[in-house]
Amino acid sequence: MTKSMPKPEFIFKPVHESHVQASIICSKKLKIHFRVRSGGHDYEGLSYVSQMETPFVLIDLWKLKQINVDIEDNSAWVQAGATTGELYYRIAEKSKVHGFPAGLCSTVGIGGHITGGGYGTLMRKYGLSTDNVLDARIVDANGQLLNRTAMGEDLFWAIRGGGGGSFGVILAWKIKLVPVPETLTLFTITKTLEQDAGFKILSKWQQVVDKLVEDLGIRVLFRNTGNKTVTTTYRGEFLGEKGTLMEVMNQCFPELGLTQEDCIEMSWIETVVNNAGFTTRPPPPLEILLQPSSPYGRPYFKAKSDFVTEPIPVLGLKGMFERMIEEDASFLIWKPYGGMMAKIPESEIPFPHRNGTIFKIHYFTKWSGNGNGADDKHMEWIRELYSYMTPYVSSNPRQAYVNYRDLDIGQNKKNDSEDNFRRAQIWGAKYFKNNFNRLVKIKSKVDPENLFRHEQSIPSLPIRSSSS
Ligand SMILES: Cc1cc2nc3c(=O)[nH]c(=O)nc-3n(C[C@H](O)[C@H](O)[C@H](O)COP(=O)(O)OP(=O)(O)OC[C@H]3O[C@@H](n4cnc5c(N)ncnc54)[C@H](O)[C@@H]3O)c2cc1C
């Protein structure tokens, strides 16, 4: 947050769920705008900065972080202020063969993460975090505490993927644990531009990655290494031993040249530590998952997302690499879809990016500085790259991931006007496709006064004056 950003009047940190109810009731009575924060990882800072309305207060759920894992029942209740790292650690404390599909970074908050989707390395096998939610406790716009039965299936549908800060305060999720084998295999293979001249390996990856067995996911990380070149790193995770992985790779993707030496076998929780960026050998103790800071620090950054439904041709790739070379800290990740993601219908929950998606692109650049003015160069770079990619990504609508909030694709300017509603239809279609209309209907029913609002919250249907 820069010095010029509006600050909350005060920060309220509930230590009991009833305190959240009280804070909603008071904010409503006092007509003071509020924001809700769990892990504070929102890409646009919407959980702790209001640019559209001041004054505002902040309800910070950081202290509500109880986790109860029930191995017999294959489930767990997790309060919103817990992090993914804490959840993974508590599951592994009780079982070596249970896991949960959620994000890679260990400091992301469960509250915001699950309500926006939550993908990670288990996604091709088990779907998103929010595909594995059984129940929830929320505080609604009247300050009432509701579980799944009390809130009803419409609202329960909306909070599983509809994005944070629109429907109520999620206090806790009941999640379904998933089976993981005792041994998983990770590999990392990096290619320079010269080693993949002609983009043969990258093109093959695009052809096969969504069709591979569900037990295997291979991400691609593109990095500007600072020497006027970009490296391409293939990070694979396989739910099984390396012998079986080698068989799969030799059959489906021999062009990558994977060898036994590239493979490291480990337990699921060790893969979690590694994927969170704690990659030292020997690995750090598992308790590192409980620490509140990530290995990546807290730089200024801007990110965007795209979904790809047709392989990007060599000409398109060339231009993408040329642009990445221009920006010092350019970083892209391509994340494979297919598997379970292709089996879940688009309207099952609000998250619509399912069958037909080959992979998602995560664009990212970071910089140090004061956050003012100096940012322009980096913002321009990422916007230009995003514009360049237009012909190669999904269209009508060009889709985006709601957990990678991007205010460039539109934002609410002031509280609940018809104009706002028109704007919301543009970003709403990108994040939710046809599910946006159902989200608006549910919002209009459960929060007609638009108490839960921010720059990209789901709008209620505009109330027309009797003269219009
Ligand atoms: C370093 C980093 C790594 C990431 N890695 C991944 C990843 O691997 N996979 C992935 O899918 N995403 C990832 N994300 C994106 C992340 O899932 C989203 O930013 C998510 O919204 C963060 O949740 P939070 O609780 O930490 O954030 P917050 O900033 O606290 O909240 C995000 C939004 O949800 C709302 N909200 C927060 N808590 C609640 C609540 N209890 N009830 C209702 N609304 C609430 C906020 O008001 C805000 O609008 C990453 C983000 C960062 C910064």
Side-chain angles (χ1 to χ4, degrees):
M1 200 187 324
T2 65
K3 283 185 184 150
S4 59
M5 290 282 183
K7 307 282 184 301
E9 292 299 296
F10 66 86
I11 300 175
F12 180 54
K13 293 191 173 177
V15 292
H16 190 275
E17 293 186 350
S18 64
H19 299 168
V20 180
Q21 294 180 270
S23 62
I24 297 301
I25 292 166
C26 287
S27 306
K28 201 171 172 178
K29 267 200 177 150
L30 296 172
K31 294 194 182 346
I32 184 155
H33 182 49
F34 61 85
R35 294 290 162 117
V36 181
R37 178 167 70 186
S38 287
H41 278 52
D42 190 281
Y43 271 16
E44 297 280 8
L46 303 188
S47 57
Y48 50 91
V49 181
S50 168
Q51 304 237 41
M52 64 185 233
E53 222 167 319
T54 51
F56 68 101
V57 299
L58 174 53
I59 303 171
D60 185 342
L61 304 180
W62 188 245
K63 293 192 171 174
L64 296 178
K65 46 169 72 239
Q66 209 173 45
I67 300 172
N68 292 317
V69 177
D70 184 343
I71 292 295
E72 297 277 284
D73 188 48
N74 291 317
S75 69
W77 271 105
V78 197
Q79 279 189 314
T83 62
T84 48
E86 288 165 334
L87 172 62
Y88 296 143
Y89 180 86
R90 297 297 166 209
I91 295 171
E93 235 181 5
K94 294 211 169 164
S95 166
K96 284 195 169 74
V97 290
H98 286 77
F100 184 65
L104 286 87
C105 172
S106 56
T107 54
V108 169
I110 286 293
H113 184 59
I114 296 186
T115 198
Y119 78 85
T121 54
L122 297 180
M123 181 180 81
R124 298 195 69 247
K125 177 86 176 175
Y126 296 115
L128 305 165
S129 310
T130 202
D131 292 322
N132 291 278
V133 164
L134 301 168
D135 203 339
R137 283 199 301 276
I138 74 163
V139 175
D140 73 0
N142 297 317
Q144 285 179 305
L145 200 159
L146 310 172
N147 64 7
R148 178 174 181 170
T149 314
M151 76 180 88
E153 287 304 305
D154 264 351
L155 183 50
F156 186 61
W157 177 87
I159 60 172
R160 287 175 296 148
S166 285
F167 296 97
V169 183
I170 288 137
L171 298 174
W173 298 104
K174 184 180 184 186
I175 56 164
K176 182 170 77 189
L177 304 181
V178 300
V180 290
E182 287 200 23
T183 305
L184 287 80
T185 307
L186 288 188
F187 68 82
T188 304
I189 296 183
T190 298
K191 301 285 182 192
T192 60
L193 267 177
E194 295 72 33
Q195 286 169 330
D196 192 16
F199 303 113
K200 287 206 170 62
I201 303 173
L202 191 55
S203 298
K204 181 69 190 278
W205 179 90
Q206 295 188 79
Q207 282 158 23
V208 298
V209 77
D210 59 322
K211 299 166 199 84
L212 293 171
V213 289
E214 293 177 4
D215 289 335
L216 177 59
I218 309 174
R219 285 177 289 144
V220 192
L221 288 67
F222 303 86
R223 264 196 202 92
N224 179 330
T225 52
N227 307 318
K228 291 273 168 217
T229 192
V230 172
T231 56
T232 308
T233 298
Y234 295 81
R235 284 268 300 173
E237 179 167 318
F238 180 63
L239 292 163
E241 295 172 1
K242 62 178 166 186
T244 321
L245 169 64
M246 287 303 301
E247 284 170 27
V248 173
M249 289 296 285
N250 285 337
Q251 204 187 340
C252 305
F253 193 12
E255 294 80 357
L256 188 59
L258 182 73
T259 65
Q260 295 258 2
E261 290 67 48
D262 298 317
C263 301
I264 311 174
E265 291 184 337
M266 56 181 88
S267 66
W268 172 71
I269 196 67
E270 286 166 341
T271 68
V272 165
V273 172
N274 193 293
N275 287 328
F278 304 107
T279 50
T280 53
R281 293 262 131 216
L286 299 181
E287 282 66 32
I288 201 138
L289 295 173
L290 305 177
Q291 72 175 29
S293 53
S294 89
Y296 304 115
R298 306 190 71 173
Y300 292 102
F301 71 89
K302 175 68 188 168
K304 289 178 170 291
S305 60
D306 257 322
F307 289 84
V308 176
T309 54
E310 297 286 338
I312 301 175
V314 167
L315 192 67
L317 297 174
K318 267 181 89 177
M320 187 189 91
F321 276 81
E322 280 162 17
R323 281 162 179 79
M324 285 200 70
I325 288 170
E326 286 165 16
E327 170 78 355
D328 291 345
S330 57
F331 183 48
L332 260 61
I333 313 180
W334 288 7
K335 298 163 189 179
Y337 270 58
M340 179 56 89
M341 291 302 285
K343 291 181 191 160
I344 300 173
E346 269 188 25
S347 58
E348 181 87 6
I349 58 167
F351 181 99
H353 322 288
R354 304 285 188 175
N355 194 20
T357 302
I358 304 175
F359 60 97
K360 175 173 67 196
I361 303 180
H362 184 187
Y363 308 90
F364 184 89
T365 181
K366 64 175 183 175
W367 61 93
S368 54
N370 62 8
N372 295 324
D375 312 355
D376 294 352
K377 169 173 157 293
H378 307 283
M379 297 292 247
E380 273 168 29
W381 173 81
I382 202 167
R383 285 171 183 153
E384 200 280 325
L385 173 60
Y386 185 74
S387 162
Y388 166 78
M389 294 299 283
T390 309
Y392 306 115
V393 298
S394 63
S395 56
N396 298 318
R398 182 174 184 172
Q399 300 167 47
Y401 177 36
V402 69
N403 256 353
Y404 293 165
R405 286 258 180 230
D406 181 4
L407 294 184
D408 285 352
I409 62 175
Q411 55 180 301
N412 306 333
K413 297 282 186 208
K414 55 186 193 280
N415 184 20
D416 209 18
S417 66
E418 280 189 38
D419 199 25
N420 247 347
F421 188 73
R422 269 192 292 275
R423 256 194 299 267
Q425 281 173 312
I426 298 167
W427 55 256
K430 292 177 187 294
Y431 289 144
F432 308 112
K433 294 172 83 176
N434 289 335
N435 294 330
F436 178 68
N437 294 337
R438 183 169 174 200
L439 285 169
V440 170
K441 273 190 200 141
I442 297 168
K443 169 78 177 182
S444 308
K445 196 166 144 207
V446 302
D447 183 17
E449 291 168 39
N450 203 18
L451 189 71
F452 295 100
R453 59 183 181 268
H454 56 65
E455 287 77 359
Q456 270 186 355
S457 56
I458 304 293
S460 324
L461 281 167
I463 301 163
R464 289 169 195 280
S465 63
S466 49
S467 56
S468 63

